[in-house]
Amino acid sequence: FFFFFFSFFYIWIENHETKRDASQEVSEHDSKIEDESCDLNYNIVSILQEMQRIYELMGDNWREFAYKRACGIVKMFPKKIETEADVALLLKTKGFSKKLGAKVLEIIQTGQLKKLNELKKLPQIEASNLFMGIWNQTSLCGNRGVGHQTVTQWYRLGYRTLDDVREKAALNERQKIGLKYYDDLRAKIPRCEVEEIEHFVKKEVMKIESECALVTCGSYRRGKAESGDVDLLITHPRAKKIVGLLEKIVDQLNKAGFLKDHFSLPSHKNKHAVDHHDTYMGICKLPDTADGRVYKYCRHLDIKVFPPAAFPFALLYFTGSDHFNRSMRYFAKKKGYTLSSYQLAPAIRLNNHKTHTGQPILCSSEEQVFEVLGLKYVKPCDRNNHEYFEFS
DNA sequence: CGGCGGTACTG
DNA sequence: CAGTACC
DNA sequence: GCCG
């Protein structure tokens, strides 16, 4: 009973803290500084971003990884980078070394990067550019079920425009929906609309299970002014209630006419597993309000339902960012643990293969996960970039 | 030189 | 199983 | 791409 009560109480606190923190974060300096710095070095960041995108298209995940990390480092840099001394300062940052330094130097001296211009001329990249418009953050490669393998295949098949793909390509469900809502999904979601989506879902969920707790994670929880999608994390203080809960929620939201299409529905596999959780991914649209407010866009909505014991880990995972999660998990690994979206456990590895996972370590809050790993707590608004966690 | 997160869905 | 996705 |  105490555990259930504690979980529920904790979640309640978390809900309210999240809201309060979030509103402070936008108005306070955190995100502002970042935006300003991003503007300060806008040219450098956008060129490095194009490099990242190209390597993503080429399937070179590790260069993509390194460039994304580098973008974060440049964004965080406190002043405009214009001299060799500035670049020297950049080079002191872990994750930013000679080759990237040379590229940044070239950018501040010439305003452009030869290597990028060459890569853009590659026929395949040029074609991808044509039918995906990757240079304006309108990439089809990324979150519409199309990766570098598909791009390469389409190129070999001679497709060169979006209409080629529409007419000739054999698309899977995910890709069809991606095309159907092509413009909608490109549009960013303002914080206030994220909140309204959360409110709508919460209202419907409460009709089914009034004890449910619901937290919006992702970039929203990290304090961003706009999000690409809405990530809702749901739990229930009683673990038994988790089974089949998401199906009921999806049914309810369907009845309300809120869901327009589905990427993936809650699976019926692994229902017996202790660590079981459910995922829904799809498209939603807020109804017009009585006072005449009209919502223009359909939005990408992800809902995850986790059992209460996994809640702190789920919250940590679902808040991200992707690079933050990877750095924390990498550190946990070096410390002899494995950290996932549902548990932290000792892990024994042989030649980098996980061979045994010990008893999970119970944590009742995000803070506790950091504590067990011997790390200083990092607030959601500071989880936007890659970190180098060190042994203390 | 090898390693760079852990997991879950579709087809 | 490969490919892509989630953060 | 970078790090150990």
Side-chain angles (χ1 to χ4, degrees):
Chain A
F1 170 78
F2 280 113
F3 177 68
F4 295 145
F5 177 78
F6 179 76
S7 299
F8 181 65
F9 183 66
Y10 166 71
I11 290 156
W12 186 86
I13 298 274
E14 178 58 47
N15 249 325
H16 290 252
E17 269 185 358
T18 305
K19 282 238 168 57
R20 199 190 56 222
D21 282 348
S23 51
Q24 279 175 359
E25 279 153 25
V26 222
S27 56
E28 270 181 26
H29 54 266
D30 282 312
S31 54
K32 227 177 165 184
I33 279 181
E34 194 199 317
D35 289 345
E36 276 170 14
S37 310
C38 183
D39 279 341
L40 277 178
N41 294 299
Y42 177 80
N43 194 35
I44 297 172
V45 172
S46 50
I47 287 175
L48 296 183
Q49 262 170 5
E50 289 188 33
M51 292 294 287
Q52 178 199 326
R53 282 237 142 83
I54 283 172
Y55 284 121
E56 181 187 359
L57 282 176
M58 301 198 322
D60 188 339
N61 306 98
W62 296 119
R63 279 192 175 77
E64 179 200 351
F65 178 90
Y67 274 99
K68 183 164 184 185
R69 184 171 56 191
C71 285
I73 293 168
V74 174
K75 278 185 194 172
M76 292 294 287
F77 200 75
K79 70 179 285 283
K80 187 164 161 64
I81 299 164
E82 31 194 7
T83 66
E84 284 192 44
D86 294 335
V87 177
L89 241 57
L90 256 188
L91 288 174
K92 289 193 191 296
T93 322
K94 262 193 191 172
F96 206 105
S97 199
K98 284 189 296 184
K99 291 186 135 188
L100 280 165
K103 287 185 171 67
V104 167
L105 197 58
E106 184 187 337
I107 295 169
I108 61 178
Q109 285 169 350
T110 70
Q112 43 182 337
L113 188 61
K114 275 185 197 163
K115 176 88 176 175
L116 173 63
N117 298 334
E118 283 166 24
L119 288 170
K120 274 178 163 180
K121 278 184 211 151
L122 291 176
Q124 191 200 328
I125 299 297
E126 209 166 37
S128 310
N129 183 5
L130 258 180
F131 66 75
M132 290 174 186
I134 62 169
W135 316 122
N136 296 313
Q137 297 169 338
T138 59
S139 171
L140 191 65
C141 173
N143 55 8
R144 289 160 213 273
V146 178
H148 115 276
Q149 294 290 349
T150 311
V151 171
T152 306
Q153 177 126 20
W154 284 354
Y155 180 71
R156 281 203 217 105
L157 290 168
Y159 306 159
R160 293 293 184 275
T161 68
L162 204 55
D163 282 332
D164 283 343
V165 172
R166 261 197 195 99
E167 291 156 21
K168 302 170 196 167
L171 300 170
N172 64 30
E173 268 317 292
R174 174 80 194 227
Q175 294 162 344
K176 281 180 200 161
I177 299 170
L179 271 184
K180 182 172 171 185
Y181 298 96
Y182 190 81
D183 293 318
D184 289 60
L185 297 183
R186 276 168 48 175
K188 288 279 192 176
I189 315 171
R191 278 187 86 76
C192 59
E193 192 176 329
V194 174
E195 281 155 18
E196 286 173 69
I197 288 170
E198 172 187 334
H199 182 252
F200 188 96
V201 176
K202 186 177 268 177
K203 190 183 56 155
E204 295 301 320
V205 169
M206 287 308 145
K207 293 178 188 170
I208 309 167
E209 281 293 344
S210 60
E211 286 176 285
C212 277
L214 196 151
V215 187
T216 306
C217 301
S219 53
Y220 173 85
R221 186 159 180 260
R222 296 200 306 275
K224 294 291 187 186
E226 297 179 319
S227 299
D229 66 359
V230 179
D231 308 300
L232 290 179
L233 174 60
I234 299 179
T235 190
H236 192 286
R238 279 176 289 179
K240 278 186 181 174
K241 291 281 189 177
I242 296 299
V243 180
L245 178 59
L246 189 52
E247 279 95 332
K248 287 186 210 157
I249 292 173
V250 169
D251 272 354
Q252 183 69 28
L253 293 173
N254 262 326
K255 276 184 208 150
F258 185 60
L259 303 177
K260 304 302 178 189
D261 266 299
H262 312 304
F263 287 142
S264 70
L265 291 162
S267 103
H268 294 263
K269 297 172 234 166
N270 299 326
K271 273 289 177 294
H272 53 283
V274 184
D275 54 27
H276 171 263
H277 75 268
D278 267 337
T279 300
Y280 169 81
M281 286 159 56
I283 305 286
C284 71
K285 188 164 192 271
L286 284 165
D288 301 343
T289 60
D291 54 331
R293 175 99 174 79
V294 175
Y295 296 92
K296 193 175 166 190
Y297 296 116
C298 293
R299 305 299 197 178
H300 179 169
L301 173 67
D302 288 355
I303 307 177
K304 285 177 188 286
V305 174
F306 276 80
F311 181 78
F313 304 100
L315 188 62
L316 188 59
Y317 153 71
F318 216 24
T319 299
S321 65
D322 55 351
H323 270 248
F324 183 84
N325 287 349
R326 292 172 76 158
S327 25
M328 202 162 160
R329 288 169 184 210
Y330 182 48
F331 178 77
K333 185 178 194 170
K334 287 187 290 186
K335 262 212 143 178
Y337 295 95
T338 174
L339 172 64
S340 74
S341 46
Y342 60 91
Q343 66 172 11
L344 173 67
I348 294 162
R349 293 180 175 85
L350 284 177
N351 347 310
N352 203 26
H353 264 250
K354 194 158 68 182
T355 54
H356 179 71
T357 303
Q359 279 302 106
I361 296 158
L362 294 179
C363 293
S364 53
S365 68
E366 268 187 326
E367 284 86 343
Q368 214 178 328
V369 181
F370 285 89
E371 196 185 313
V372 171
L373 287 171
L375 297 173
K376 222 182 90 188
Y377 178 69
V378 181
K379 287 178 293 174
C381 66
D382 295 323
R383 299 182 200 165
N384 289 309
N385 292 310
H386 194 93
E387 293 268 346
Y388 277 95
F389 291 114
E390 311 271 4
F391 288 89
S392 51

